[in-house]
Each structure stands twice: as C-alpha cells, then as structure tokens.
Amino acid sequence: MSTDDRPVAAVVLSAAAEVQLAFDELAVWAREQRGMSGVRPTCDLHRGNLNRALEVDWYLSVRHTRSTFDLEYCLEATHEDGEWLIRSAGCAAGHDPNGSERIYELPDRYAVTDREFVDELVGACRTLTDHRAKILDLFLTVYVQGFTKPGRPTRRA
C-alpha cells in the first residue's frame, strides 16, 4: 500500500511520528555538542485558549553550561479557519521573562489539504534540522560569548 492509498489520518500521524523521530535525532546531536546539557525534547498537542485553534508544537530545549540561556529548536503547526500555518525557528530562552526570543526564523509554510500539510510539515522539519548547526552557532555567538566570560557573567551593553 503506497502513501496515497493509506487513510489520510494514517498519513498525517505518520508525518507527526517522522517529525518526532527527527527531534529525537536532533536531541542526540545536541547532546554531542560541546557545552550543551539538559536536552529536553517535547511535543504538545492542544487547543488554543482564545480561538480554539488546534496547535501541535515540537520543541527541543538545550541548556548551555556557561550561560543562563537555553537554546530551543521550535516547530509549531496551527490549524485555524481551514488552513495550517507551520512555523519553525531557533530561539533563546532565559533573557525575556515573557518567553523566548527568536534568533533564527525560517519561512512560514501554509497548507489547506491534509496532503499539503504532510508535505509542508515534513519539509519544515527537514529545513529546521538542516539549519541546526547555524542556529547553534548564532546562539553561541550572541547568547554565550556575548553574555559570559569564563567564570564570570557579564551583561549586554
């Protein structure tokens, strides 16, 4: 049975499982990076509070041992008014008490049909993981080297 012959729900759930596997592999890679610890992958499925939009979020949070910041790899899919919006980014958490700061955003993706959603979700995940090293380098440059010196925290001017 090909992908096109399977029920749509099976195709969508298979894509979600593929994204989860990619985030698990990203976690393995992150653990291997120098100075990184506390690797936590998460997946959250919920309805938004105000508009009742369906949201599926994948996050990988990684703590850097020499700073007070976490690096987050984020993939967020929101279904509202018959359309999917898929966002992916690298973020730094710990600086803004209201949440994380996006340090590297990839282009938003949109889908209307379930098949389009699968293609766009998998493509967004692949693009995010392809940019993992660039996101890590930006994080280290701005949030680790820019904020700390060995043994002594400093502040951004």
Side-chain angles (χ1 to χ4, degrees), residues 1-42:
M1 183 180 282
S2 73
T3 301
D4 289 333
D5 295 336
R6 291 188 295 172
V8 172
V11 173
V12 170
L13 289 173
S14 178
E18 188 175 328
V19 169
Q20 187 62 49
L21 178 61
F23 268 73
D24 291 344
E25 291 170 354
L26 184 59
V28 169
W29 175 84
R31 283 184 189 96
E32 296 171 349
Q33 303 311 302
R34 186 174 168 193
M36 305 307 275
S37 66
V39 178
R40 294 180 317 276
T42 60

Side-chain angles (χ1 to χ4, degrees), residues 82-144:
E83 183 176 69
W84 284 100
L85 167 62
I86 302 165
R87 293 186 153 167
S88 53
C91 303
H95 181 263
D96 183 351
N98 297 318
S100 60
E101 181 178 347
R102 292 179 182 257
I103 57 175
Y104 190 85
E105 290 189 60
L106 294 160
D108 291 346
R109 294 172 176 249
Y110 301 90
V112 176
T113 69
D114 294 332
R115 303 283 181 191
E116 289 171 346
F117 169 70
V118 166
D119 292 343
E120 293 300 330
L121 179 68
V122 170
C125 181
R126 186 175 305 113
T127 302
L128 180 65
T129 57
D130 286 350
H131 286 84
R132 66 182 178 248
K134 183 173 189 158
I135 293 168
L136 175 62
D137 288 344
L138 281 169
F139 173 77
L140 293 173
T141 300
V142 175
Y143 291 91
V144 177

Side-chain angles (χ1 to χ4, degrees), residues 15-73:
E18 188 175 328
V19 169
Q20 187 62 49
L21 178 61
F23 268 73
D24 291 344
E25 291 170 354
L26 184 59
V28 169
W29 175 84
R31 283 184 189 96
E32 296 171 349
Q33 303 311 302
R34 186 174 168 193
M36 305 307 275
S37 66
V39 178
R40 294 180 317 276
T42 60
C43 178
D44 186 25
L45 171 67
H46 60 276
R47 290 272 182 195
N49 290 338
L50 299 175
N51 57 13
R52 307 299 295 164
L54 173 63
E55 298 177 19
V56 185
D57 306 318
W58 289 268
Y59 295 99
L60 176 66
S61 181
V62 186
R63 170 68 53 151
H64 190 273
T65 56
R66 287 185 18 220
S67 78
T68 60
F69 297 97
D70 288 348
L71 170 60
E72 295 177 341
Y73 292 87

